[in-house]
Amino acid sequence: MNIRFAMARKGVIAVAVGAGLALSLAGCSGGDGEDGKPETSAAASKDSGSDPSAQEGSDEPLAELKGEDGLILKLTSARRDAGGFVTISGELKNDGDEPARLSVRTAGDETEIIRHGTSLGGATLVDSTGKKRYYVLRDTDGRPLTTTNMPRIKAGASIPVFMQFPAPPTSTTEVAFQLPTFASATISISG
């Protein structure tokens, strides 16, 4: 492997890790979960306290995607971050009558992501104008920068979720959001 390529790759991964850590720290509520244990990443992806954009200030979600077993993914924001990333936030709700667990297929089919458990690592953004597909970012250990280790969701309950992607060019304001086992939708990127 070319040394310059390897060093450049490490730099990109380091930036992704730094952004993911900053996002995790900003999203933490600063407390423990109800059971006294530290919150998992599913619970730690709460609102980061940033100024709401016009789309975040309204009760209208960007999209509601139906999945298997009564699960509904409501996307509430898609924001460009200063570091060249897009962070998508929302909630996963169980609209069914029975407890439900997110399908393992939502993690995608990449071995590196699958080995880190249940996640939204299979999500992609598709820029049809630029003819590019953007995959969920990963840290240096291959963990996807998304909500992970999601619990079984009780009927009627919901959990906050997030996913982080490389940002498309600033001229791209709409992308198709895709996640295995869920319907796809076109969403607008703000910021």
Side-chain angles (χ1 to χ4, degrees), residues 8-140:
R9 184 169 179 243
K10 286 181 182 178
V12 169
I13 291 172
V15 169
V17 170
L21 289 173
L23 178 65
S24 295
L25 290 174
C28 289
S29 64
D32 290 339
E34 293 175 354
D35 58 0
K37 296 179 182 174
E39 294 181 351
T40 64
S41 60
S45 64
K46 293 184 173 112
D47 183 20
S48 65
S50 62
D51 294 330
S53 69
Q55 67 188 13
E56 290 175 348
S58 70
D59 290 335
E60 191 68 30
L62 294 176
E64 281 194 18
L65 313 173
K66 292 188 178 193
E68 297 175 339
D69 300 326
L71 293 176
I72 297 176
L73 177 61
K74 181 166 60 170
L75 302 178
T76 55
S77 71
R79 295 188 47 87
R80 285 182 196 278
D81 299 328
F85 307 105
V86 169
T87 301
I88 296 180
S89 300
E91 71 176 23
L92 184 63
K93 181 178 183 180
N94 180 355
D95 205 31
D97 297 329
E98 298 290 325
R101 188 175 294 279
L102 191 63
S103 170
V104 295
R105 294 182 291 163
T106 59
D109 57 5
E110 294 181 45
T111 306
E112 192 65 26
I113 290 179
I114 292 172
R115 72 184 185 106
H116 293 290
T118 308
S119 74
L120 303 174
T124 59
L125 299 179
V126 178
D127 173 6
S128 58
T129 305
K131 297 181 179 10
K132 289 189 177 182
R133 180 181 302 266
Y134 298 89
Y135 294 88
V136 168
L137 292 168
R138 294 165 200 126
D139 67 14
T140 54

